């Protein structure tokens, strides 16, 4: 995959995590949030610096896919949480990361497992300074074994 396309997918993954988080805290539906990102967030800038281009189709696929299959995705995540932990107890940002990554692991067999895990671990690092990235790495590795066995 060309570097520019890889970067566009990385941006799409980060935006998908942000969109899923936004949907959870605001109660907004997938189509409203996807449209908001397309109309107002992509092709924007931060402090005068243009944002990197996003693969908007890939972004939409992740967001809509998570929403459309959330019960199955949540079960796949819950199977790999430590005993006694429920998905609802996890930070909303981590839930969004797990859901987006699990969607890719279960529905996008064309994307290598290592890419999915690496990308979402990096996203976790962008939100958290503590052990969360290691938690994401371990859980996604186990989820990948389940989903891609």
């Amino acid at each position: 995959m060309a570097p520019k396309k890889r970067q566009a997918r990385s941006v799409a993954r980060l935006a998908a995590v942000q969109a899923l988080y936004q949907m959870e805290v605001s109660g907004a539906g997938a189509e409203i949030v996807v449209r908001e990102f397309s109309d107002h967030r992509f092709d924007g800038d931060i402090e005068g610096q243009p944002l990197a281009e996003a693969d908007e189709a890939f972004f939409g696929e992740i967001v809509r896919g998570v929403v459309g299959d959330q019960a199955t995705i949540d079960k796949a995540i819950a199977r790999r949480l430590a005993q006694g932990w429920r998905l609802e107890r996890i930070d909303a940002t981590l839930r969004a990361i797990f859901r987006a990554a699990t969607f890719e692991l279960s529905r996008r067999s064309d994307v290598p497992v290592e890419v999915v895990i690496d990308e979402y671990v990096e996203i976790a690092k962008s939100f958290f300074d503590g052990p969360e990235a290691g938690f994401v790495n371990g859980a996604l590795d186990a989820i990948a074994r389940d989903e891609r066995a």
Side-chain angles (χ1 to χ4, degrees):
M1 184 180 297
K4 189 169 182 156
K5 183 162 173 88
R6 268 196 303 270
Q7 182 182 19
R9 282 213 167 165
S10 295
V11 173
R13 287 180 176 104
L14 175 60
V17 167
Q18 293 170 325
L20 292 167
Y21 173 86
Q22 179 179 330
M23 290 167 53
E24 183 170 335
V25 299
S26 73
E31 292 309 316
I32 290 169
V33 174
V34 167
R35 192 170 335 120
E36 177 191 327
F37 272 74
S38 292
D39 292 348
H40 302 292
R41 297 203 187 181
F42 295 135
D43 301 325
D45 63 64
I46 297 175
E47 297 177 3
Q49 295 297 318
L51 295 174
E53 189 175 317
D55 182 335
E56 292 187 45
F58 190 62
F59 160 80
E61 180 184 348
I62 294 169
V63 172
R64 290 179 184 107
V66 167
V67 171
D69 205 14
Q70 188 167 330
T72 303
I73 288 169
D74 284 358
K75 283 179 190 165
I77 298 165
R79 276 194 303 270
R80 290 306 182 165
L81 294 177
Q83 191 169 6
W85 277 82
R86 293 188 333 269
L87 191 56
E88 303 81 42
R89 287 184 58 196
I90 295 175
D91 177 87
T93 303
L94 284 174
R95 274 195 303 275
I97 290 169
F98 282 131
R99 286 173 174 155
T102 302
F103 167 78
E104 282 198 61
L105 290 168
S106 64
R107 302 293 183 271
R108 290 298 306 254
S109 60
D110 60 312
V111 181
V113 168
E114 303 79 24
V115 170
V116 175
I117 293 172
D118 289 347
E119 289 274 320
Y120 287 99
V121 166
E122 288 304 312
I123 290 170
K125 288 178 183 176
S126 72
F127 286 105
F128 302 100
D129 292 328
E132 291 85 357
F135 174 51
V136 168
N137 187 43
L140 291 182
D141 186 57
I143 292 166
R145 285 194 304 274
D146 293 342
E147 297 298 320
R148 301 260 181 112

